[in-house]
Amino acid sequence: MSFLEMRDVHKRYGGVRALNGADLFAERGEVHALLGANGSGKSTMNKILTGIAAPDQAELRLDGEPLRVTRPQDAHRLGIAAVYQELSLIPDLTVAANVGLAFEATTAGFLRPRAIRSRAEAVLRRFAGAFSGDRLPVDVPVGQLSPGEQQVIEICKAIAREPRVLVLDEATASLHAAQVEVLFDVVRQLRDDGILVLFTSHRMGEIYALCDRATVLRNGEVAGAVQLAETSEAQLVEMMVGRQTGVAESTGATIPMAAERQPVVLQVEDVVGDRLAGVSLEVHAGEVLGLGGLAGQGQSALLAAIFGAQRRRSGRLLLDGRELRIRRPSHAVAEGIAFVPGNRAREGLLPVRPILENLTLASMRGRAVVPGVLSQKRERAAADQAVEQLRIKLGSVNDPVSTLSGGNQQKVVVGKWLLEQPRVVLLDDPTKGIDVAAKDELYEVIARLTEEGVAVILNSSDDEELLGLSHRVLVFYEGRVVDELHRADLSRDRLVASSLQVVDR
Ligand SMILES: Nc1ncnc2c1ncn2[C@@H]1O[C@H](COP(=O)(O)OP(=O)(O)OP(=O)(O)O)[C@@H](O)[C@H]1O
Ligand SMILES: [Mg+2]
């Protein structure tokens, strides 16, 4: 008998079979990985465990007792807490108040604000190293924190419930390396205290660093349950996608080198704005320029400023030596500048509109200015191609985008730009939540773009990706470029040293 047993779980969403008889067995004091490609059913499994989704059929037991969860409150009462891909924080409330929401469910009586604050602070203190600044942001409105810090608060909120089972469903996707380390230390303590942690991530390094065993899902069924110490990454990926791939090792290997001899496409001159204290850079045709450094040092702000999604107070942008007047995203699109945002929920998609419309949105916006109108038929064909190329798992392209799994939504954001012919592509954490096989497809797309002479600027919270894809990396600190690392001297150690050295100055 296992501590947690989920047997023969079935779940359909309309025509989509999310789970088809999946099983999961996990023990106390274990970090158990729940793995699988995008759309394989991981989040559905987690949502059934936490009472957010109702199974069509399932046999669930926790600690020998039948588990009846029909609402999230049931899960809380039974000691099951979860962190999902989407944040559930209230931006205007302080950190303490947000974390405090967790106590209301577990504490029958009334807690004074001061008691809430000190209990919240105690949880936060375990994550001290994950926040910038020298003081814990207890009384700061959550909306003022960086995306990574907000994610940490979300995790604090789950831990504040003192659960027996903690579900982390891509909880690390917006964390940078140092924050992940802090989280892992806390998770290891929880594990040693006998808590069961169910862990999902598309970063394979994290799986091996943290987890003991893994259950691998494929198309809603179990493809295998394995000991990680006895299973190679290639074997895991094969279980996930049902075929052999060269994934894992191939990151960036296909990106053509020697880009700097090609002409400069985009010049950024002394751009000043929110979080930007004067940034200048040049990107060459066929070059992938990486933006590195600690999270939230102006990397995303720069991409938004180039795209016209954030105001520039001063500074110039030049495309092929010609000064651009970009004040709105539509101006950037008209100049052939494409943008893949990291925050798909806010900037990337119209969730209730059909997948097809979301895929073709960028082309339609450009239509007023780009000659050669796409016919509906060609639009559909192009969309089908994007779906196929990135292996977007869906029922029908006419379904709302909100019915897609997290990773598949991100693929739609990326896919929009495959239908364009951009000169410059701005990628802001483009593979957040995308599975290993699809990441590889995306890297190939980036390689193809560079071969065609497109200039790419890449911001990534995934060090491996940044190191693997970039010809050069600019290290950011407090809205400035403080270091430049060339391909030849790019390594994780150099990147970390360069990012941190700056902090000591
Ligand atoms: N609310 C919903 N309505 C319709 N279909 C859904 C809904 N939620 C999930 N699905 C479908 O169920 C399948 C499994 O989705 P799920 O979110 O469990 O995948 P996942 O393994 O978590 O993927 P990812 O790695 O992308 O997060 C997908 O094909 C998805 O489109
Ligand atoms: Mg998911």
Side-chain angles (χ1 to χ4, degrees), residues 13-14 16-18 36-45 47 85 169-170 202 217 393-394 402-408 433 435:
Y13 288 103
V16 176
R17 206 181 278 233
N38 293 133
S40 58
K42 304 177 297 295
S43 295
T44 305
M45 203 72 169
K47 284 175 182 167
Q85 284 159 291
D169 191 339
E170 291 189 52
H202 291 295
L217 295 179
K393 188 180 180 234
L394 45 71
S402 58
T403 63
L404 293 177
S405 74
N408 281 305
D435 67 51

Side-chain angles (χ1 to χ4, degrees), residues 350-369:
L350 305 174
V352 299
R353 305 297 307 165
I355 297 160
L356 176 66
E357 187 180 315
N358 272 283
L359 271 170
T360 54
L361 203 62
S363 357
M364 292 197 294
R365 232 193 274 144
R367 185 179 280 171
V369 284

Side-chain angles (χ1 to χ4, degrees), residues 306-326:
I306 295 173
F307 193 61
Q310 178 184 309
R311 216 173 68 84
R312 282 177 284 125
R313 278 200 287 281
S314 62
R316 302 202 305 160
L317 301 175
L318 297 99
L319 188 68
D320 304 321
R322 175 174 53 88
E323 182 162 1
L324 298 178
R325 310 218 170 275
I326 294 176

Side-chain angles (χ1 to χ4, degrees), residues 209-230:
L210 190 66
C211 303
D212 310 310
R213 292 193 305 149
T215 296
V216 183
L217 295 179
R218 184 164 80 230
N219 288 326
E221 297 176 13
V222 174
V226 298
Q227 295 283 350
L228 283 165
E230 297 161 7

